[in-house]
Amino acid sequence: MTSNDARLRERAAAVVPGGMYGHLNTAIFTPGFPQFFERGDGCRQFDVDGREYLDFMCSWGPVVLGHRHPRVEEAVAAQQSRGDCLNGPGPIMVELAELLVDTVPSADWALFAKNGTDATTQALMVARAATGRATVLKAKGAYHGADPWCTPIPTGTTEANRADLIDFAYNDLASAEAAAESAAGDVAAIIVTPFKHDSFADQELAEGVFSRGLRALADRVGAVLILDDVRAGFRLDLRGSWETFGVRPDLTAWSKAIANGYPLAALTGTDALREAAASLYTTGSFWFSATPMAAAKATIETLRDEDGPARMARAGTLLRDGLREQADRHGLAIRQTGPVQIPWLAFAEDTSLERAACWTAACLELGVYVHPWHNWFLSTAHGDEDIAAALERTDIAFARTAARFGAA
């Protein structure tokens, strides 16, 4: 019997180039992933064939409070009853900007858009407008979005799209300083993620000497320091992911978790860059829609009131400790890297991803949605009982993987 997912894939292939595209295209995953989903509830998702999954991808990051969170949905319904996409923004735009300025110490103003790519691209524009320079320093392999200047798959782009970029090695301050030196006084900005989260590779937490060194380097060469907090923002620290280092960027790009799944991005910045930001022409017909802004205000307030980052850290620690114990017991060597709120698991000596594919497929069959080569995400909806339920199933998945490949 043909599944609903298979039928939808067949129909999509006739009307969508390639049948699917972008980072949600399961054709680029290891086998076994459903492509189409019906609904979400808390920390669970349900595919179009009715299978239920404990969700550890959280829609690839946007869902930070759990699917259909009541406080967010109430704010959305209230705003929808008044209007969404109008001839101008609603009062909620001002309220949300005020909330961001009150919450983020490095924020004196906010601009809004739709996607993380919008926010990082806006950040580069502000930096170039403020400095009159062109060159941007970025970490090699870092993901900053899907525009021509940053897409990881450059099909359809030109060399000119990246002509003003110079790479440096993440967590290597000397490398960043050498990149700045090679730009010969033309550095407009340094853009950096709060931790290294390149796909297919171990995640790497930023070192204090690196983060503080980039701040000093930007000040020394007169460049703008941009923190791309699209992926980590609001999960590690509501104030900004480098606040714990005492490092405050000039610009911060936000998206993913800002509105618990509703489409929104933001760029925040300091007073020194206010005039440059005001000089840009950057816009979109849907960028000022009121509903996602209402969702964002409710999301940030809920995270603040419930200490969301700490709750996710607890869930992530329980998950990481449990997975470590299980892998050890089954004789499987694994690596768990990144912040516990945004974890990733890899198997040792698994360059072909065979072990990861086996374990992930078993997890999916047992109702736990994790990914073999991309980091996962926790939400505040992941309670102790949900982690325990997931671990019961991952233990079986480890057993199956050990039976197939043997102990490391």
Side-chain angles (χ1 to χ4, degrees), residues 227-239:
L227 189 65
D228 177 356
D229 224 352
V230 168
R231 188 172 302 196
F234 303 112
R235 273 192 167 84
L236 306 188
D237 192 316
L238 294 185
R239 304 168 299 170

Side-chain angles (χ1 to χ4, degrees), residues 111-113 118 121-126 129 267 274-288:
L111 298 176
F112 298 105
D118 300 331
T121 300
Q122 279 182 327
L124 265 57
M125 293 171 69
V126 171
L267 178 69
R274 185 187 296 268
E275 185 176 348
S279 72
L280 301 187
Y281 185 79
T282 175
T283 190
S285 297
F286 303 104
W287 281 18
F288 305 100

